[in-house]
Amino acid sequence: MISTSQECSLHSSTMLSLLLLLLIPSFVISSLKDEEKAISLHEPLEEFHAKMSQLDKEMEESGKLTMDNEREKILKERLEAFSHLSRMDNLTKTDVLDVNVHSGLINDLYEGDVLLTKEQLDSLSISSNSSLRARRQAWKPKRFPSNIWGANTPIPVSIDPSYPQDSIQVLRDGMRFWNDNTCVRFAEGAQGTNKVKFIYGNGCYSWIGMIGNEQQVSIGRGCGTVGIVTHELGHTIGLYHTQSRYDRDHNVIVNTANIQQGTAHNFDKETADNTDNYGIPYEYGSNMHYDPFGFAKDNKVPTLVATNKEYQFSMNGDMPTFYDVLLVNKYYNCFETNCKGVAVSCLNNGVQDVKNCRQCRCPTGYTGTDCGKVDPAFEVIPAKEGARVTKEISVGSGKYETATTVAKKFFVIQAPAGKRIELIFTGVSAVVTSSDCSYGGIQVWKNKDTRMNGLRACRKEELAQYYLSENERVFIRIWNKYAFTNATFTYRAY
Ligand SMILES: *[C@@H]1O[C@H](CO)[C@@H](O)[C@H](O)[C@H]1NC(C)=O
Ligand SMILES: *[C@@H]1O[C@H](CO)[C@@H](O)[C@H](O)[C@H]1NC(C)=O
Ligand SMILES: *[C@@H]1O[C@H](CO)[C@@H](O)[C@H](O)[C@H]1NC(C)=O
């Protein structure tokens, strides 16, 4: 069915190019829109919706979302603890799910922003049918489809001619991110049968993996941030959402009482036998993680509650993280393909850089070919034992308008070797707050291992008041895109 509609679309796009030569621009734009709609969304939609209802039923029957008393208790505690920190109302919509709610598309896509082929859809409906397990194992893992593009193989990319010129740069920045950090290679203008086309559709969405012929990625109105482009291209590469990992129940609790009726299928999870997480730990701050308010009935109350409460406000990263990149490099076999026979040893949890095998790719705060140096971009704040010292930091233009570039400052609080750092936040405030803190916020890395995305906050209450670091360093990043972000903390070596 999908391939039929694609043949149709190829045919109609040939017709369309003929029309383009003949007709006035306004007509062209409206026909493009019709065409995009016809080939972009699950067709027929009724069938997709029926499938999703079936999945909802299966999930209920299988008890995938049922909680035992202990989880119920944790959930209740967390919700109470965070009740005064409900979602801010005047946030600017920068999240994929928000954009797709706004565009009215959310329920026509899988997990809010994903298009699935018939084959992928069919593989979902047996996910909870144990009598079909044996058959399912013959299927390719659903989370990481085998239909990937190939290491270092140019993925031909085109941008729809009607795409708004002033929004094209973020598409290129998003492609460049994956090109610079992995062996995936988006190549605008390259030729090939299987290819990707950016469209300015109604919302943000993508297919999962390479589906054959031309597949679209929609980066429509409201989706024009580099982080959304990397997220949608993450799907194009073959990634599903982080919170559907089979081990997600150790990390998040789905607040089923607050998910909209008929959307349970969006909280489906994989099973251990059809999924490989490539040894990557669950990352709340992954670029592929849902916003914690996705599919909420009451959109001030989260639908995803972190079992590790420190991370409640740190879900859904604005850009792919160290682990997101590592995942793609493992999934695409980039280490083997690019660096076979080249050994490199890395400090501070660095990993071999697949783009330059003789050096390491470093986690937050470190740099150098072996990640042995503290990154000089982080201004050193020396910490001594004894009295606590207070530091106030303000980042931003102070102007009450959205800045074109994000202002950033980086700090490392450094204690003498063998000591730790005691850190107390007494104030954190951004003028505009949102669940992703994209208009201003702070991020803190207090563990020795800085691979995991840091704790994030744009209000003081979103951070714990007291931290004791694991080793002699704490890394801090503060950013702002509107007026200012202020942070005040006291610290000492301990
Ligand atoms: C909304 O944003 C304005 C600044 O644009 C701020 O002054 C106000 O406190 C915010 N309100 C909420 C509820 O976040
Ligand atoms: C599971 O598969 C069996 C065998 O095909 C079928 O009879 C049964 O109805 C299925 N159950 C569900 C819940 O889909
Ligand atoms: C943030 O810091 C700036 C610069 O020190 C200051 O002008 C501003 O009043 C501060 N805002 C708040 C809310 O503390």
Side-chain angles (χ1 to χ4, degrees), residues 394 429 484 486:
S394 183
S429 61
F484 45 75
N486 289 7

Side-chain angles (χ1 to χ4, degrees), residues 223-487:
C223 313
T225 66
V226 182
I228 290 182
V229 176
T230 54
H231 177 99
E232 295 309 330
L233 290 177
H235 290 315
T236 309
I237 291 170
L239 305 183
Y240 277 82
H241 290 122
T242 307
Q243 79 289 331
S244 65
R245 283 170 58 130
Y246 69 82
D247 60 353
R248 67 103 186 273
D249 287 343
H250 298 293
N251 303 281
V252 289
I253 302 176
V254 179
N255 180 13
T256 47
N258 194 39
I259 60 181
Q260 287 161 27
Q261 190 171 6
T263 64
H265 55 271
N266 296 308
F267 294 90
D268 197 3
K269 61 169 181 177
E270 317 303 332
T271 57
D273 57 327
N274 76 347
T275 310
D276 185 352
N277 290 329
Y278 293 92
I280 310 264
Y282 188 95
E283 175 146 74
Y284 292 104
S286 160
N287 187 226
M288 302 309 290
H289 202 293
Y290 272 1
D291 176 275
F293 298 93
F295 303 98
K297 260 191 238 167
D298 175 348
N299 74 4
K300 292 202 178 346
V301 176
T303 47
L304 289 174
V305 169
T307 53
N308 180 345
K309 64 173 179 250
E310 281 195 320
Y311 282 93
Q312 183 60 35
F313 301 98
S314 307
M315 290 185 225
N316 178 18
D318 58 347
M319 282 298 285
T321 63
F322 184 87
Y323 278 133
D324 288 334
V325 167
L326 185 58
L327 176 62
V328 171
N329 282 327
K330 289 189 171 189
Y331 178 30
Y332 273 73
N333 214 12
C334 305
F335 294 101
E336 276 291 297
T337 312
N338 288 8
C339 302
K340 204 178 167 101
V342 185
V344 66
S345 84
C346 305
L347 301 168
N348 296 309
N349 301 298
V351 295
Q352 190 165 38
D353 180 352
V354 301
K355 305 298 279 186
N356 185 348
C357 302
R358 300 200 179 276
Q359 66 181 40
C360 304
R361 201 190 130 79
C362 308
T364 299
Y366 295 99
T367 188
T369 50
D370 65 353
C371 302
K373 283 198 311 198
V374 170
D375 187 341
F378 287 75
E379 184 189 317
V380 179
I381 303 175
K384 296 196 187 75
E385 282 176 273
R388 293 194 173 101
V389 179
T390 300
K391 174 119 185 140
E392 282 181 50
I393 297 165
S394 183
V395 178
S397 67
K399 294 197 188 102
Y400 284 69
E401 61 190 32
T402 303
T404 45
T405 54
V406 182
K408 292 177 201 153
K409 284 187 186 170
F410 303 89
F411 300 91
V412 53
I413 309 176
Q414 171 87 51
K419 295 286 167 192
R420 303 207 279 175
I421 290 152
E422 192 190 69
L423 177 63
I424 298 168
F425 284 96
T426 52
V428 171
S429 61
V431 171
V432 176
T433 59
S434 64
S435 59
D436 60 1
C437 298
S438 55
Y439 282 77
I442 182 168
Q443 215 173 357
V444 180
W445 286 260
K446 64 181 175 62
N447 295 341
K448 184 168 188 292
D449 180 347
T450 58
R451 284 177 292 182
M452 190 70 81
N453 206 18
L455 298 167
R456 183 183 65 211
C458 31
R459 292 177 281 184
K460 180 183 148 205
E461 299 82 356
E462 294 172 357
L463 281 177
Q465 304 304 293
Y466 181 90
Y467 290 110
L468 191 57
S469 67
E470 273 181 14
N471 69 342
E472 70 269 24
R473 289 185 193 109
V474 171
F475 293 98
I476 294 176
R477 177 170 83 104
I478 304 180
W479 65 94
N480 183 271
K481 207 164 72 170
Y482 189 96
F484 45 75
T485 305
N486 289 7

Side-chain angles (χ1 to χ4, degrees), residues 135-164:
R135 196 178 108 195
R136 186 188 54 214
Q137 283 186 335
W139 284 69
K140 299 303 174 198
K142 156 179 133 183
R143 162 180 278 283
F144 296 112
S146 61
N147 50 334
I148 65 175
W149 297 86
N152 305 311
T153 317
I155 303 173
V157 173
S158 65
I159 299 173
D160 191 276
S162 74
Y163 204 92

Side-chain angles (χ1 to χ4, degrees), residues 8-108:
C8 273
S9 82
L10 285 178
H11 178 65
S12 64
S13 66
T14 318
M15 301 239 315
L16 197 72
S17 3
L18 290 174
L19 288 175
L20 270 167
L21 298 170
L22 301 170
L23 296 167
I24 52 165
S26 66
F27 179 85
V28 171
I29 285 162
S30 66
S31 20
L32 268 176
K33 280 204 175 125
D34 289 345
E35 185 208 23
E36 278 161 14
K37 202 153 179 252
I39 57 175
S40 298
L41 296 178
H42 293 112
E43 294 270 333
L45 260 182
E46 298 70 33
E47 220 166 87
F48 174 76
H49 288 153
K51 196 106 202 169
M52 292 302 110
S53 307
Q54 185 196 339
L55 201 57
D56 286 347
K57 230 175 85 198
E58 283 179 19
M59 283 182 68
E60 200 181 328
E61 282 164 7
S62 68
K64 263 192 188 166
L65 290 180
T66 346
M67 278 177 259
D68 58 20
N69 291 342
E70 198 194 335
R71 286 173 76 74
E72 195 116 36
K73 196 168 143 248
I74 298 173
L75 175 64
K76 196 157 165 267
E77 276 168 16
R78 296 277 193 280
L79 289 175
E80 271 164 21
F82 298 134
S83 62
H84 65 298
L85 285 175
S86 65
R87 183 176 197 165
M88 294 299 217
D89 250 337
N90 66 344
L91 63 92
T92 331
K93 305 281 185 193
T94 54
D95 173 67
V96 170
L97 297 181
D98 282 332
V99 175
N100 289 348
V101 165
H102 196 73
S103 72
L105 270 192
I106 189 106
N107 293 320
D108 299 342

